[in-house]
Amino acid sequence: MSCLKILMGSEEVTYYDDVENDFDNFIDGICRDVRRKRKIEYYNIPCSFDIETSSFYDHGEKAACMYIWMFDIDDHIIIGRTWDEFILLLSKLQFKLSLHPEFRILVCYIQNLGYEFQWFCKRIPWVKVFATAEHAPLTALCEQGIEFRCSYRLSGYSLAKMGEQLNKYKVQKMVGDLDYSKIRHSKTPLTDKEMGYCINDVRVLTSYIREKIENDGAITKIPLTKTGYVRIYCKEHIYGSRSHRRNYSIYQKFIGNLSLDPEEFKMNLRAFQGGFTHASCFYSGREKPLHGVTSFDFCSKYPSAMVAYKYPMSKGEFYNPVSPEDLKYQLSHYCCIFDVRFINIKPVVIYDNYISISKCTNVHNPVINNGRLVSADEIITTITNVDFDIIKKVYTWDHIEIGRFIRYEMNYLPKEFVECILDFYENKTTLKDVEGFEIEYLQFKELLNSCYGCCVTNPCKPLITYSSDIEDWTREELDLNASIKKYNEKKDRFLFYPWGVFVTAYCRRDIWLHGILKAGTDYVYSDTDSVKFIGQHPGFEKEYNKTILKKILAACRYHDIDISRVVPKTREGKLKPLGVFEFDGYYSKFKTLGAKRYMVQYADDTRNGKKSGKIHITVAGLNKKLGSEYLKSFADPFSEFHDDMKVPVDSSGRQIATYKNEHVHGVVTDYMGVTSEYDEMSFLHLEQSEYTMSMASDYLDYLMGIQEVYEI
């Protein structure tokens, strides 16, 4: 095992060539602190793992090999070049640390667990694998007593960004020191610079977990995902200590009354949509860019909607409106979710369309605008009363039929939950750019951004796991009745799934009423919490800001919450009201080719600050930084941003990932001419790819027809 290396300590590195003889010296330096959670002890130390791989073709077939792995435990790093060495390490750790999956566990973080798991899933016997989707494990516990966890799901950061976020243990990810285009294998020698790049990846991750352990109190207190922090914070604030039985019992009784039944839950799922993101058909796909475009966005839109508006606050009741007047009353006095059938539905507003065709069934003879319904002879969809507010304004129809209809009593979200949201917003605002409080600022920013995510977490997902017996992923059929029963009876539940359905509905309504419709034919583009339009439109934001602040203050009075909490001050002493429209930028040039496809150049304007004159692109599937640099290399970048635009491999940042579960064995020659055998039980083949812009032909035809009419 002479190629296995041990590094002792993170500052002064010592190499050991014989792991069999030197492992005892290595393991003696590891902290033995353990913390108990339920019946299991966990080593309270940071640990991380990473691999580097090469993808290539062997006789025309996709193949790949792992050529180096790094294992960092408590800032003691082991490096190996083969999987046999890694399995040996796991066995030694199990023996030396007395690991066992049922009573003592070592937690090891991997930045993208789904990637590494695809490589070693068939080499290690698994006790339990928890995944949110195939090839997306969140945790994986092996028989050796090591539980691998996904650090990306915990942080939401790339390794580079993670390094920037470190406050106490400063380690920066190295960039560009390992050329991934060069084929390497287990016998390929690595330079000191390349080895430093590999080692640094696990050092960044270990430092991040060490800070988490210190900030959270123990490794047992670190949740699996970012939203877990919101759940922990809110549960502690809402339920408090069990010694305060009265407060605990009151909220538990309240949330227990907000239960679901299976049919109601399915209707909620059908009604749920994300934020509205689309481009005006008047300006999308034009050859020349627009000039003088202004962008506004909502300040913390989702949190503000959760504070300002009213939500379902009762068990859902299936109801049958008996007349148009009764329907109108129900829609204005209750939170409603219902199936609806439209006959001969047509647009009133031409420049954009509200209804998502993906949410429609029984569709006959539709006209579609980049995924949005323009018109149809007939559709059936499931919507909320909030959606219906907009649909009435932007469509007309010959006939409407209401199907299954659920109504909920409406009221503000519970005071305890609202106080948590305001805690996050207030601290995020007051701590921003304050020296010495960088960690706290980031924590509260993440908590605020995760509030909405908690609300829309699907409580009835099918169980997806990896089976060592069949060496493949399994998907257990969901027993909806049992899942709903478990959800309803959960003792520490503090959320109600229909709340999340209405959060996005309110945000879609606001962007339409106060952004898209107000800008009128000057409207250019919207994306969840922002709107862009031609010209300046002085005072554009005033009416909405007055409206939202009025609603937020009314909610504060209802809850008896100090209104200063919704208008905290920044470090400079400037008031930062929650939820208001704010100036986001003024563009000298703007061009869009549809949803999530636009390019801007910021004007030389003092309001744009450091962004003045800079070019930015937002294109789904294309790296923002690399794509922007590529386009800026042309004399006229905007003329290159068009349908059929091709961005070369080295500028796209785009990769094609191919999961392979079969055993591959062969011979590969590295970039230095050295040949070696490779042997993988399973692997992931990654291939750099160019990016090609492609607008659907029916979308282009629609734009051409609309824009010709508009010009006339």
Side-chain angles (χ1 to χ4, degrees):
M1 306 298 294
S2 61
C3 59
L4 189 60
K5 305 275 188 180
I6 300 177
L7 285 73
M8 298 287 288
S10 59
E11 294 182 2
E12 186 172 340
V13 177
T14 304
Y15 286 92
Y16 294 88
D17 289 329
D18 190 347
V19 70
E20 296 286 354
N21 296 325
D22 294 319
F23 192 81
D24 287 343
N25 295 330
F26 166 81
I27 210 73
D28 286 343
I30 295 173
C31 175
R32 287 302 201 277
D33 180 26
V34 295
R35 301 295 173 92
R36 182 177 293 274
K37 186 174 182 180
R38 298 183 181 92
K39 296 181 180 180
I40 300 177
E41 290 182 340
Y42 291 83
Y43 275 97
N44 193 41
I45 53 177
C47 180
S48 65
F49 177 71
D50 187 33
I51 66 174
E52 297 295 346
T53 67
S54 280
S55 296
F56 48 88
Y57 283 83
D58 190 351
H59 295 89
E61 297 293 328
K62 291 182 178 181
C65 67
M66 183 277 296
Y67 62 84
I68 187 169
W69 56 260
M70 296 72 62
F71 190 94
D72 185 346
I73 176 171
D74 197 26
D75 286 333
H76 294 59
I77 302 173
I78 298 181
I79 299 173
R81 303 298 298 268
T82 69
W83 287 118
D84 288 342
E85 294 167 348
F86 180 60
I87 302 304
L88 171 64
L89 171 65
L90 297 186
S91 298
K92 284 189 166 291
L93 287 171
Q94 180 183 20
F95 177 73
K96 293 293 184 179
L97 298 178
S98 302
L99 300 176
H100 191 281
E102 294 181 4
F103 59 80
R104 179 172 288 183
I105 290 174
L106 174 68
V107 176
C108 178
Y109 283 89
I110 298 177
Q111 174 59 8
N112 182 0
L113 178 56
Y115 182 80
E116 271 76 2
F117 188 82
Q118 177 64 21
W119 287 84
F120 59 46
C121 60
K122 293 186 178 183
R123 296 181 178 273
I124 301 172
W126 301 101
V127 175
K128 183 179 180 181
V129 178
F130 171 58
T132 54
E134 288 189 13
H135 306 297
L138 193 57
T139 66
L141 176 62
C142 65
E143 288 185 0
Q144 290 92 335
I146 298 174
E147 181 178 285
F148 297 97
R149 295 184 183 178
C150 183
S151 56
Y152 180 76
R153 298 289 294 277
L154 171 65
S155 69
Y157 298 137
S158 65
L159 275 178
K161 189 68 175 178
M162 189 181 287
E164 295 172 5
Q165 304 298 325
L166 293 174
N167 185 63
K168 184 176 179 180
Y169 302 100
K170 297 289 188 180
V171 182
Q172 290 291 328
K173 175 176 171 56
M174 297 179 181
V175 179
D177 291 335
L178 196 64
D179 186 348
Y180 286 95
S181 66
K182 294 180 178 179
I183 296 178
R184 300 177 177 85
H185 49 65
S186 60
K187 295 181 180 179
T188 304
L190 300 180
T191 66
D192 290 343
K193 195 172 185 179
E194 291 171 334
M195 187 68 78
Y197 177 96
C198 297
I199 294 171
N200 214 61
D201 280 359
V202 286
R203 289 189 61 203
V204 169
L205 184 48
T206 300
S207 297
Y208 178 80
I209 298 303
R210 186 179 296 281
E211 289 194 2
K212 284 293 181 186
I213 291 173
E214 294 179 4
N215 294 332
D216 295 355
I219 200 163
T220 53
K221 295 182 179 180
I222 301 176
L224 296 179
T225 64
K226 287 180 66 174
T227 57
Y229 282 107
V230 171
R231 297 180 187 280
I232 293 170
Y233 188 102
C234 291
K235 285 178 183 178
E236 290 178 352
H237 181 82
I238 291 170
Y239 283 115
S241 170
R242 285 181 176 266
S243 62
H244 295 82
R245 293 303 306 175
R246 184 174 180 277
N247 292 339
Y248 184 89
S249 300
I250 288 174
Y251 196 91
Q252 195 174 64
K253 182 179 180 181
F254 156 76
I255 202 69
N257 290 329
L258 302 184
S259 60
L260 294 167
D261 69 36
E263 188 59 34
E264 173 190 358
F265 174 67
K266 287 190 285 186
M267 286 187 67
N268 271 269
L269 279 180
R270 293 201 302 271
F272 172 70
Q273 299 182 54
F276 186 86
T277 300
H278 217 237
S280 167
C281 60
F282 287 175
Y283 305 112
S284 179
R286 286 179 176 260
E287 181 180 350
K288 295 183 178 179
L290 298 172
H291 297 278
V293 171
T294 303
S295 179
F296 271 85
D297 68 1
F298 296 106
C299 172
S300 300
K301 181 54 189 169
Y302 284 170
S304 70
M306 294 166 75
V307 173
Y309 297 121
K310 295 183 178 181
Y311 292 85
M313 285 296 157
S314 69
K315 181 173 176 58
E317 176 190 1
F318 282 89
Y319 182 82
N320 182 26
V322 296
S323 66
E325 292 75 23
D326 184 25
L327 175 62
K328 184 177 180 181
Y329 180 86
Q330 301 302 321
L331 296 178
S332 61
H333 287 79
Y334 293 88
C335 286
C336 305
I337 294 176
F338 54 99
D339 296 330
V340 59
R341 179 173 179 247
F342 292 104
I343 301 297
N344 197 24
I345 186 169
K346 295 179 180 179
V348 173
V349 172
I350 303 299
Y351 44 84
D352 212 338
N353 310 102
Y354 182 78
I355 297 175
S356 174
I357 194 66
S358 66
K359 288 292 182 176
C360 299
T361 59
N362 204 46
V363 180
H364 295 281
N365 194 28
V367 176
I368 302 171
N369 170 17
N370 196 25
R372 298 286 167 176
L373 179 75
V374 180
S375 64
D377 291 345
E378 178 184 349
I379 64 163
I380 294 176
T381 187
T382 306
I383 59 175
T384 68
N385 57 300
V386 181
D387 294 305
F388 196 57
D389 284 346
I390 297 299
I391 291 172
K392 288 187 300 183
K393 288 180 169 59
V394 299
Y395 290 97
T396 185
W397 50 84
D398 289 348
H399 180 67
I400 183 173
E401 293 178 9
I402 305 298
R404 285 163 295 186
F405 188 101
I406 303 174
R407 67 178 187 179
Y408 302 88
E409 294 178 10
M410 63 164 63
N411 208 337
Y412 296 110
L413 293 179
K415 178 180 178 179
E416 298 87 348
F417 187 32
V418 170
E419 286 177 327
C420 293
I421 296 169
L422 295 181
D423 283 347
F424 306 152
Y425 179 70
E426 190 176 18
N427 281 285
K428 171 203 166 188
T429 303
T430 57
L431 296 177
K432 186 176 182 180
D433 298 326
V434 177
E435 188 175 351
F437 289 89
E438 293 83 1
I439 291 178
E440 291 81 358
Y441 164 72
L442 289 172
Q443 288 175 337
F444 284 111
K445 180 181 178 181
E446 291 171 2
L447 288 169
L448 182 66
N449 293 337
S450 298
C451 283
Y452 159 72
C454 287
C455 290
V456 294
T457 300
N458 187 340
C460 300
K461 289 182 177 179
L463 179 63
I464 299 171
T465 189
Y466 183 86
S467 170
S468 293
D469 293 335
I470 63 173
E471 296 186 335
D472 204 354
W473 293 94
T474 62
R475 184 184 184 94
E476 183 178 309
E477 288 300 319
L478 178 69
D479 184 338
L480 186 58
N481 290 327
S483 296
I484 290 293
K485 185 175 185 294
K486 182 179 178 181
Y487 169 79
N488 290 334
E489 295 176 353
K490 194 173 183 181
K491 295 297 183 183
D492 61 349
R493 178 168 63 91
F494 67 97
L495 297 170
F496 189 37
Y497 183 75
W499 294 350
V501 176
F502 277 81
V503 170
T504 51
Y506 282 128
C507 292
R508 291 192 301 272
R509 184 180 69 178
D510 283 351
I511 198 72
W512 266 84
L513 282 182
H514 303 282
I516 296 172
L517 293 179
K518 186 167 183 182
T521 55
D522 284 343
Y523 156 71
V524 172
Y525 189 89
S526 62
D527 189 349
T528 306
D529 61 355
S530 67
V531 61
K532 307 179 192 303
F533 49 82
I534 298 171
Q536 301 278 356
H537 287 246
F540 178 85
E541 74 282 12
K542 288 184 179 179
E543 181 183 346
Y544 173 75
N545 289 352
K546 183 179 179 180
T547 300
I548 194 66
L549 286 175
K550 184 178 179 180
K551 289 183 178 296
I552 289 176
L553 294 178
C556 287
R557 286 193 295 270
Y558 174 84
H559 290 306
D560 192 24
I561 293 175
D562 189 337
I563 61 173
S564 65
R565 301 193 62 190
V566 298
V567 282
K569 292 182 179 179
T570 64
R571 184 172 67 93
E572 295 81 13
K574 181 181 177 182
L575 292 174
K576 186 83 170 176
L578 174 66
V580 298
F581 249 145
E582 295 182 321
F583 174 80
D584 184 50
Y586 185 62
Y587 312 135
S588 58
K589 294 180 180 179
F590 178 92
K591 189 173 183 179
T592 180
L593 303 176
K596 294 295 184 182
R597 293 178 172 184
Y598 65 86
M599 178 178 182
V600 308
Q601 181 168 21
Y602 285 87
D604 289 324
D605 190 304
T606 55
R607 293 175 298 172
N608 288 331
K610 295 180 180 179
K611 295 180 180 178
S612 292
K614 292 187 176 180
I615 291 177
H616 291 280
I617 63 166
T618 295
V619 176
L622 181 62
N623 182 280
K624 283 188 176 183
K625 183 178 180 181
L626 292 176
S628 295
E629 291 300 321
Y630 170 75
L631 288 170
K632 285 190 289 187
S633 67
F634 294 93
D636 184 2
F638 283 85
S639 67
E640 300 299 322
F641 188 73
H642 55 74
D643 185 33
D644 293 330
M645 174 187 76
K646 288 182 172 56
V647 179
V649 171
D650 57 352
S651 296
S652 71
R654 181 181 177 87
Q655 287 185 321
I656 297 175
T658 306
Y659 290 88
K660 292 286 189 177
N661 293 321
E662 63 265 23
H663 181 199
V664 293
H665 176 83
V667 176
V668 60
T669 302
D670 67 13
Y671 77 99
M672 302 178 73
V674 178
T675 298
S676 174
E677 291 188 356
Y678 69 92
D679 188 278
E680 299 293 346
M681 302 296 292
S682 58
F683 63 96
L684 185 60
H685 181 277
L686 293 176
E687 187 172 9
Q688 299 294 323
S689 170
E690 70 174 13
Y691 177 86
T692 301
M693 186 82 77
S694 178
M695 298 174 70
S697 59
D698 57 348
Y699 181 44
L700 287 170
D701 291 343
Y702 177 75
L703 293 178
M704 185 179 299
I706 282 289
Q707 289 172 11
E708 285 179 359
V709 173
Y710 178 60
E711 292 297 336
I712 294 174

